[in-house]
Amino acid sequence: MLPTYARYPLTLVKGEGSWLWDDAGNRYLDFMSGIAVTNLGHAPARIKEALLQQLDQLWHVSNLFHIPNQADAAKLLTDNSCGDAVFFCNSGAEANEAAIKLARRYQQLVQNNGRYEIITFEQSFHGRTLATLTATGQAKVKEGFAPLPEGFKYIAYNDIAALETAVSDKTAAIMLELVQAEGGIHPVDQTYIQQVADLCQREGILLIVDEIQTGIGRTGKLFAYEHFGIEPDIFTLAKGLGSGFPVGAMVAKEKLREGFGAGSHGSTFGGTPIATAVVKATLETIVGDGLSDRAAAQGEYLMSQLREKLSGASFVKEVRGLGLLVGIECTGPVADVITEAQKRGLLVITAGPNVVRLLPNLLVTNEEIDEAVAILAELLSAR
Ligand SMILES: *Cc1c(COP(=O)(O)O)cnc(C)c1O
């Protein structure tokens, strides 16, 4: 294998609910969920059942044919969102790639205005393909990959003057996360995002919201845009969409349907019968069981416990987040907090050098939260 990942010295071999076991039989409380993927915990029974049932019937046929699970999964997405049309793919980067392509094509072939520029934000993260790493507002993911695709511009987040200066008659779309996750758990300001949405409306610019980490109940709503009273023209999903099965989706408003006619975009594996059986079961579970509300309640409890138990820790600067997307910003690097937590049986990750990121599954219990907070309080108070 190519050495693209700096791996922890842990080999995890079994998972159930909030818990993982390594190859030596040690148990870990999982507060990272495969980076916001296993939102229903490990090996959720209902999803497993849907997957096994589909495995008995049909695995793959190509998008040259109608795929009932795909239509059902798309209907669940549009019935439960502001979107009207869905394109299935296999990952987050692919969903954002589709969003960038659709935005340009809609402006150029439907609106006939020649617009191509995509405005994105400093500290954003949108993926690792050439277009999505170009969209990403972090230098480290671009190093050595020149020349990069043209037509991207980066500005400061939560700064409306910067956006007004950046917009031109070439602007096709503005693309952003509503909580910058990889960039350090920075939620968007309510007034700012309303101004962004108004500006998009006024200028005929498409608003693309990257919900790859924030979507599927994670922030206490099914999609994070619901917190802010705005409606994106396009939003993208992956991570939690398949409960651990690899799948992505781009959801768009009705007017964008024309932008992606037959032959304009595609993916061999996008939305296979298996993948979309899992998407269906995941969405039915999250919507049917009210798990977004549960994430909101558990997120409140997690953040209140962290604030209380870390109040005396001088190393801790701030606890912030939305639902179960939570960050603890510290005054210095936290890499060894992560490895120390692992030794005490707790899995967490970073979000930038100084932020500990917590992403428990949406079914996490108060007892599990208490256990994680106790470990973190011990580690962070000792610094
Ligand atoms: C993870 C992530 C991506 C990329 O998703 P992949 O499935 O790794 O390609 C894009 N945007 C955001 C906000 C993410 O968190």
Side-chain angles (χ1 to χ4, degrees):
M1 290 181 289
L2 282 158
T4 47
Y5 305 104
R7 295 178 199 267
Y8 295 114
L10 271 188
T11 305
L12 301 164
V13 295
K14 184 181 150 60
E16 199 185 308
S18 300
W19 298 89
L20 286 163
W21 285 263
D22 69 14
D23 55 355
N26 301 306
R27 193 173 85 138
Y28 301 85
L29 180 53
D30 183 8
F31 265 48
M32 57 181 283
S33 303
I35 316 191
V37 169
T38 53
N39 283 4
L40 297 174
H42 293 283
R46 199 156 143 198
I47 313 305
K48 180 179 154 188
E49 207 172 290
L51 180 58
L52 289 178
Q53 207 176 351
Q54 189 58 46
L55 283 175
D56 272 339
Q57 280 190 351
L58 181 66
W59 294 15
H60 179 87
V61 290
S62 156
N63 280 308
L64 293 171
F65 301 96
H66 291 282
I67 298 172
N69 283 350
Q70 212 177 88
D72 293 348
K75 185 164 179 355
L76 278 164
L77 282 172
T78 56
D79 281 353
N80 290 288
S81 78
C82 66
D84 306 297
V86 181
F87 176 84
F88 285 104
C89 52
N90 312 286
S91 69
E94 264 185 89
N96 283 340
E97 190 84 25
I100 292 164
K101 285 180 70 177
L102 177 58
R104 284 187 173 169
R105 214 176 137 93
Y106 170 79
Q107 298 289 15
Q108 292 172 31
L109 295 190
V110 180
Q111 295 295 328
N112 285 306
N113 58 21
R115 295 183 184 197
Y116 60 87
E117 200 164 74
I118 315 283
I119 295 177
T120 69
F121 294 84
E122 290 162 11
Q123 295 308 118
S124 63
F125 183 80
H126 298 297
R128 300 284 195 160
T129 62
L130 273 173
T132 58
L133 74 81
T134 305
T136 294
Q138 300 186 41
K140 65 179 185 203
V141 309
K142 306 183 193 197
E143 228 172 66
F145 295 125
L148 299 176
E150 286 175 40
F152 291 87
K153 198 184 254 181
Y154 319 93
I155 59 169
Y157 195 60
N158 283 330
D159 178 347
I160 194 66
L163 181 61
E164 279 164 355
T165 309
V167 163
S168 75
D169 61 0
K170 296 284 167 243
T171 310
I174 294 166
M175 174 157 141
L176 81 172
E177 299 154 90
L178 297 177
V179 181
Q180 287 190 330
E182 302 299 315
I185 316 295
H186 298 290
V188 79
D189 293 342
Q190 170 68 63
T191 38
Y192 175 75
I193 192 61
Q194 189 60 58
Q195 287 169 318
V196 173
D198 292 347
L199 183 148
C200 284
Q201 187 84 28
R202 204 165 60 234
E203 306 286 339
I205 295 167
L206 296 169
L207 179 60
I208 304 173
V209 173
D210 180 340
E211 293 261 11
I212 290 162
Q213 190 149 166
T214 54
I216 319 299
R218 171 61 50 192
T219 68
K221 300 276 186 192
L222 187 57
F223 307 111
Y225 73 78
E226 297 169 45
H227 288 285
F228 300 98
I230 57 149
E231 292 195 354
D233 296 295
I234 301 174
F235 64 94
T236 52
L237 301 168
K239 296 210 160 95
L241 182 61
S243 299
F245 196 92
V247 58
M250 174 188 65
V251 186
K253 291 273 204 189
E254 184 62 33
K255 66 180 181 194
L256 288 147
R257 202 182 281 275
E258 269 186 276
F260 258 4
S264 56
H265 191 53
S267 162
T268 298
F269 290 127
T272 67
I274 299 173
T276 43
V278 174
V279 171
K280 257 171 79 174
T282 298
L283 290 169
E284 280 165 0
T285 304
I286 292 196
V287 173
D289 294 357
L291 296 187
S292 303
D293 290 343
R294 187 184 162 88
Q298 296 311 88
E300 283 290 316
Y301 182 68
L302 172 58
M303 281 194 273
S304 73
Q305 287 305 105
L306 285 170
R307 285 182 184 127
E308 186 186 317
K309 300 292 186 324
L310 296 174
S311 60
S314 58
F315 185 58
V316 174
K317 215 163 130 186
E318 189 185 24
V319 174
R320 59 172 179 261
L322 196 57
L324 286 171
L325 176 52
V326 174
I328 307 168
E329 182 170 352
C330 297
T331 57
V334 296
D336 51 350
V337 174
I338 308 299
T339 49
E340 283 299 313
Q342 286 173 2
K343 286 178 193 150
R344 287 169 165 77
L346 174 68
L347 304 185
V348 291
I349 42 170
T350 57
N354 296 355
V355 177
V356 178
R357 178 171 26 161
L358 308 182
L359 298 161
N361 68 71
L362 313 189
L363 294 159
V364 69
T365 64
N366 286 9
E367 293 67 35
E368 289 164 347
I369 288 174
D370 292 344
E371 197 169 329
V373 170
I375 293 169
L376 289 167
E378 192 192 321
L379 289 174
L380 292 168
S381 302
R383 298 183 167 249

